[in-house]
Amino acid sequence: MSLDRTDPEGSIAEAAKAYSNWGRWGEDDVLGTLNFVDEAKRREGAALVRRGVSFSLSQRFDMDGPQKGWRRRTNPVHTMLDTGTDAVVTGQGFPHGLGGADDVIAMPLQCSTQWDGLGHIFDHGKAWNGRPAEKVVTSEGDLVTGIEHMAPHVAGRGVLLDVGRVIGGNDGLPDGFAITAEHLSATAGSHHVTVGRGDIVLVRTGQLARARRDGWGEYAGGPAPGLSFTAAGWLHGTEIAAIATDTWGFEVRPNEFDHAFQPLHQVAIPNMGLLIGEMWDLDALAEDCAADGAYEFFLTAAPLPITGAVGSPVNPIAVK
């Protein structure tokens, strides 16, 4: 589709209409594109496990994360409630020498490797499937499409598209690089892999590798490579179940319009019902895929079933 930099409203409205999945799975649907993952797709994914090697695709959850406080997003705060010192000094009140440690963590649900739930983004006051946003997400949480509904479903065939390596070379894609449908298709061709219905697609740009080498800088919310707004048709037409990137915001930043904020989110989540992941660590998996030439694998990435949440931390596991 065309892109008029001066008209984000018109472009978003056009894409929302063209790529809407409202009503596709019934008026009560709470899964969106995860409906594309069926039993056959999970069996297909499981059959890809040949070597038995596994990769965690999550960043670590600690105080050294990328967040800087924007919209009250902070890095995780991990606090010990009981320690080995407590056990030795106080005995903790347990009999026969038993001691233990406990801890607690406080964190925004989208401060590190995570999924965006269907209640995360609205389009002109409408949530996924055309529901009124104010009736879906209240101070009590997402009353309709809380991420707990997705917990059993995110497992199947994963596909890595290492656009950073194929298009960008050794240092990945530069900040502000817009990944088009043509880039995605060219990368899939280079990897000799197909992308289709029910797949969970992982797009590596290489930005996280640079941040790990050079420091976080503006990783959280600053300029970044990412999907072009024009890739909306590819996201819809391939019928993928979900997509995740190694960047903070999934789409290219700065965004491609003169004045806009995350316009692809506005189409993909409330209109398409697409599950989007951000800040995934794809580097070790990418190295292995480059070494053995296999860019498809079994992937399980269940969100925590936090009742009413509009996002969730996740520790995705790819198994080859």
Side-chain angles (χ1 to χ4, degrees), residues 234-249:
W234 185 91
L235 296 172
H236 183 260
T238 53
E239 297 185 330
I240 60 174
I243 188 168
T245 70
D246 58 349
T247 66
W248 172 88

Side-chain angles (χ1 to χ4, degrees), residues 16 19-22 117-131 263-274 276:
Y19 308 130
S20 173
N21 282 323
W22 288 4
L118 292 181
H120 177 52
I121 297 292
F122 313 123
D123 180 14
H124 290 82
K126 297 295 184 181
W128 160 241
N129 229 18
R131 302 179 178 101
L264 187 54
H265 274 68
Q266 193 172 340
V267 172
I269 295 178
N271 291 290
M272 205 180 298
L274 181 64
I276 293 175

Side-chain angles (χ1 to χ4, degrees), residues 109-190:
L109 297 183
Q110 295 172 329
C111 68
S112 188
T113 306
Q114 52 96 17
W115 286 120
D116 284 345
L118 292 181
H120 177 52
I121 297 292
F122 313 123
D123 180 14
H124 290 82
K126 297 295 184 181
W128 160 241
N129 229 18
R131 302 179 178 101
E134 72 277 12
K135 294 184 178 180
V136 173
V137 183
T138 73
S139 60
E140 296 181 354
D142 186 335
L143 306 179
V144 181
T145 50
I147 207 160
E148 70 274 13
H149 297 292
M150 294 183 167
H153 300 283
V154 194
R157 179 179 184 252
V159 177
L160 175 68
L161 298 182
D162 193 351
V163 186
R165 185 186 299 263
V166 172
I167 306 296
N170 291 336
D171 204 37
L173 301 173
D175 293 340
F177 185 96
I179 301 170
T180 65
E182 290 73 22
H183 293 129
L184 295 167
S185 296
T187 300
S190 177

